[in-house]
Amino acid sequence: LWAQAMLAGLLGNPWKPGTMKNIVNKSGIKAMSPNVNNGLLHNNISGISLVNKAIQGELKILGCWGQNPFHAHPNPYRTMAAFKKADFTFCCDIFPTESALYADIILPEAQFLERSDIIETWEGNDAVYMGSRFAATSPYLGAKDPYWIVKQLSSRFGKGKNFTYDTVE
C-alpha cells in the first residue's frame, strides 16, 4: 500500500483511478486506500498501538502473518513485552523469525513457488481482471498455503461457511 502510494506520488498521479484516494473513516481520520470501488474502509490500526494495547492488557491475542514485528517496530523490547503479556500468540510465516520464538503456535506458510494465489484484481472498461500465480512444486515439510490456513481456522471457529471452495485454485 505504501509503495503504491509513493509510486503514484512520484509519477504525479496520486488521485487517478487505479492509484490512491483519500478516505475518511468513522472517526474522521484521513487515510490512504487503494482507489477501487469495493466499499471497504480499513481500520488502519498501527502495529505500535497494538503493541501498546497488549502491554496494557487490553489485547489478549497477538500474532503476526508474513512479517516480523521485532524488526518492523522501533523498539523490539516493547514488542517482546507485548508478546510475553498476551494470553495467546501465533506466527504464520515462511521463515522462522523472532516472532516464532514467542508464539504459542506456528503456522508454517508455503513459499510463493509452493502455492497458488490471486495476486491482484482490477477493473477494466469491459471486465474485471485477475492476476494469478500457480504452484510450481508441492509445499515442503507440511507447510500450507494461506487460503488453506484461513479456511481451516475459520471452520474451526465456526465461521467457515463462506468458504465455498476447498482450495484457492
Side-chain angles (χ1 to χ4, degrees), residues 2-130:
W2 286 108
Q4 185 179 359
M6 288 186 274
L7 183 60
L10 288 171
L11 295 175
N13 299 322
W15 312 118
K16 302 285 187 214
T19 59
M20 306 300 287
K21 67 177 178 178
N22 260 334
I23 61 170
V24 179
N25 61 21
K26 292 177 184 174
S27 63
I29 298 171
K30 280 192 171 184
M32 299 290 279
S33 174
N35 193 359
V36 294
N37 287 328
N38 60 6
L40 300 175
L41 294 179
H42 300 284
N43 208 352
N44 289 330
I45 296 173
S46 73
I48 294 171
S49 67
L50 293 175
V51 165
N52 291 337
K53 286 182 183 295
I55 290 172
Q56 296 163 2
E58 297 175 29
L59 190 61
K60 302 294 183 185
I61 298 174
L62 191 60
C64 57
W65 192 305
Q67 62 175 321
N68 186 357
F70 288 84
H71 288 200
H73 299 141
N75 188 339
Y77 297 105
R78 285 190 59 78
T79 304
M80 185 187 314
F83 269 71
K84 287 180 178 179
K85 177 85 176 187
D87 291 344
F88 180 78
T89 58
F90 72 90
C91 175
C92 183
D93 207 336
I94 60 173
F95 299 113
T97 62
E98 289 89 344
S99 307
L101 293 173
Y102 292 93
D104 293 310
I105 187 169
I106 300 169
L107 306 169
E109 184 177 352
Q111 297 188 37
F112 76 99
L113 290 174
E114 302 171 332
R115 67 180 193 226
S116 298
D117 285 317
I118 297 171
I119 298 173
E120 185 177 358
T121 59
W122 64 94
E123 293 182 35
N125 292 335
D126 56 345
V128 176
Y129 298 94
M130 179 177 68

